[in-house]
Amino acid sequence: AGARVAGARVAGPGLVGVVRGRWTATEAPLPGTAAVSPSPGVRQLTCASVGSCVGVASFTDTSGNRSGVIEQLSYGRWKATPAPVPAGTPADAQVVLSSVSCPSTRSCGISGYLDTADSRRPEVLTLRDGRWTAQAAPLVPGTESESSTSLSSISCPRPGRCVAVGRYQDGEGHFQGLIEIQSGSRWRARRAPLPADAGPDPVGGLEWVTCPAAGRCTAVGAYVDNQGSRQLSLDVTAGRTWTSFTAPLPADAASDPVAYLGYVTCRKAGNCLAVGNYVTSLGAAEGLFERQIAGRWRAMPAPVPADADPENPAATIKEASCPTVYFCAATGAYRDANNASRASLLTLSNGTWGAVSAPAPVGDESGRYLSGVSCPSAYRCVADGSTNASGMFETYARGRWTVTVAPLPGSGFHAVFLSTSVSCPAARMCAAFGSYTKHNGTRPQGQGLLETFSAR
């Protein structure tokens, strides 16, 4: 199945072009061990180059357990590989693959974790010479024996030089941030540093990491300070040294801002954008931008569309993409004046952020949700998400966003795309990884959905 995208002239500084093409849908292939209704939990997709993409997900197998699957696009075809697990993993362990990063078409790293009856343990997978291998990620000395330890994100700037982040429980049961560092085939674990005002039980953790170069990484997370307030942390490394500091907040933030950062992107070291939300002194939930320019971080509330609830828009920013210093795009969510759930699309141009309500498919007045966004170049972006009825792609060109309903592979309905699920290595090619409900008589099936955009 396919959906045509109207030709659009893309206008912006240094870029004028026409992009025409089609989205094509494929039911995600799964290993033979998959249940009839595998209900895949999709976590991330990335494309190292045009036509070469890797996505990770978990699915229900015939034993009722959750197993991992790696979806790879090569030579125009999607192939599913059962995700290996570390030696000694119990047969009934529940597998979650959380993130994937591929510095080249032949090298990738995957982070994840394994749930057993009495603990949660982290794992890392590596693609090298066409073969996937899995190993248990090392634990920080002093980790509680039945610790809930997980990895939420991985970034690999070079083959064999990955960094994964997450959280673990120390010997006193307190949650701490976790950093796993790869050097060749060896991994080492360390506790993430915390700002000086962290409380005795910091309830710490790192949500996302990005490494624009080996030894230059930025990770975002949160912690509880010594006054009992939830604050934001920025952990950065230069070489082997990791440092942590409290992220700034807008002037109207509450004393306990209940702040959150869930994603960070860096064009290069010292030039990053982190996104999330915070609570103001008046109790309103606002979207948050933390932008780093020339090494200095500044915070600002994210704008909301004109129809947002003026008293409390219940806003958040989910993901961002910055192909240049001067242009970024972001996805968000907010509540309008009629208390309806809406999606926002934001762009940074000429130093100013603007926000619009995401256009919806014709005749669809249901709730709107956006998740991932990828900009292969300035003034050319694709975001993905869904309404209550269908999946959708939002394309930015010529200064405006237009919507395309995500096609489905034959009989089905209600496609859903979650965060970090779209990747566009070039304007002429994108891929997205989601899920949809497939008709199967009286018992619909939850299946994976792979979409590719190819220019004509």
Side-chain angles (χ1 to χ4, degrees):
R4 294 187 182 276
V5 178
R9 184 167 296 278
V10 184
L15 177 67
V16 176
V18 175
V19 179
R20 300 174 183 271
R22 175 191 292 269
W23 285 98
T24 302
T26 302
E27 182 179 310
L30 289 174
T33 56
V36 173
S37 182
S39 302
V42 177
R43 298 303 288 262
Q44 189 176 1
L45 178 139
T46 186
C47 298
S49 65
V50 172
S52 179
C53 306
V54 177
V56 294
S58 301
F59 67 95
T60 301
D61 62 25
T62 52
S63 299
N65 297 318
R66 298 293 285 178
S67 296
V69 62
I70 303 165
E71 304 283 1
Q72 292 174 267
L73 175 66
S74 181
Y75 299 105
R77 294 186 61 185
W78 289 98
K79 175 186 175 183
T81 299
V85 293
T89 298
D92 61 350
Q94 310 298 305
V95 179
V96 174
L97 303 182
S98 59
S99 181
V100 59
S101 180
C102 299
S104 74
T105 59
R106 296 182 58 81
S107 174
C108 296
I110 294 174
S111 62
Y113 53 91
L114 305 162
D115 278 332
T116 62
D118 57 3
S119 67
R120 173 173 286 179
R121 288 288 185 263
E123 66 164 343
V124 286
L125 287 75
T126 303
L127 173 65
R128 185 181 295 115
D129 297 327
R131 181 170 174 262
W132 289 98
T133 57
Q135 63 189 101
L139 301 178
V140 175
T143 297
E144 188 179 63
S145 60
E146 296 183 357
S147 171
S148 177
T149 304
S150 59
L151 293 173
S152 55
S153 173
I154 191 170
S155 182
C156 304
R158 292 200 331 233
R161 293 294 300 275
C162 300
V163 172
V165 300
R167 56 181 46 82
Y168 75 101
Q169 287 177 284
D170 62 22
E172 297 180 346
H174 299 154
F175 279 97
Q176 304 281 356
L178 171 64
I179 301 173
E180 301 275 1
I181 303 165
Q182 182 190 30
S183 179
S185 60
R186 183 181 177 188
W187 289 83
R188 57 187 175 89
R190 61 160 296 167
R191 185 175 75 175
L194 284 166
D197 66 343
D201 183 4
V203 197
L206 296 177
E207 298 295 334
W208 202 260
V209 64
T210 185
C211 303
R216 302 299 298 268
C217 300
T218 298
V220 295
Y223 70 102
V224 174
D225 65 20
N226 51 26
Q227 302 299 312
S229 298
R230 180 181 170 89
Q231 304 289 352
L232 300 174
S233 65
L234 292 164
D235 285 27
V236 298
T237 180
R240 293 179 176 271
T241 303
W242 283 86
T243 57
S244 181
F245 55 94
T246 305
L249 286 170
D252 66 346
S255 58
D256 185 1
V258 198
Y260 174 77
L261 290 174
Y263 188 82
V264 61
T265 180
C266 299
R267 285 192 65 254
K268 60 182 180 180
N271 188 325
C272 303
L273 177 67
V275 299
N277 56 54
Y278 74 104
V279 174
T280 72
S281 58
L282 297 177
E286 300 282 359
L288 174 64
F289 289 129
E290 298 275 359
R291 193 167 187 218
Q292 184 191 38
I293 300 178
R296 182 180 178 184
W297 288 90
R298 295 177 179 174
M300 67 169 288
V304 290
D307 65 342
D309 185 326
E311 294 186 1
N312 184 5
T316 188
I317 304 300
K318 296 184 176 180
E319 197 169 318
S321 181
C322 298
T324 73
V325 174
Y326 307 103
F327 178 84
C328 297
T331 57
Y334 72 101
R335 183 173 61 200
D336 69 16
N338 295 317
N339 203 35
S341 298
R342 293 289 181 248
S344 57
L345 289 159
L346 304 95
T347 51
L348 171 68
S349 184
N350 298 321
T352 302
W353 281 98
V356 297
S357 183
V362 175
D364 189 343
E365 297 298 325
S366 63
R368 270 165 265 168
Y369 313 90
L370 282 177
S371 300
V373 62
S374 181
C375 303
S377 57
Y379 302 93
R380 170 68 184 178
C381 303
V382 173
D384 64 354
S386 62
T387 70
N388 290 343
S390 63
M392 60 182 182
F393 298 112
E394 304 278 2
T395 301
Y396 186 75
R398 199 189 292 175
R400 67 188 182 96
W401 293 90
T402 56
V403 64
T404 300
V405 176
L408 294 177
S411 178
F413 60 98
H414 195 206
V416 174
F417 298 96
L418 301 178
S419 296
T420 62
S421 58
V422 63
S423 182
C424 302
R428 68 181 188 274
M429 188 264 166
C430 293
F433 190 10
S435 60
Y436 79 108
T437 304
K438 179 181 180 180
H439 284 298
N440 186 35
T442 59
R443 300 186 64 182
Q445 301 172 358
Q447 297 286 351
L449 175 63
L450 293 161
E451 304 267 8
T452 53
F453 173 82
S454 299
R456 291 192 286 116

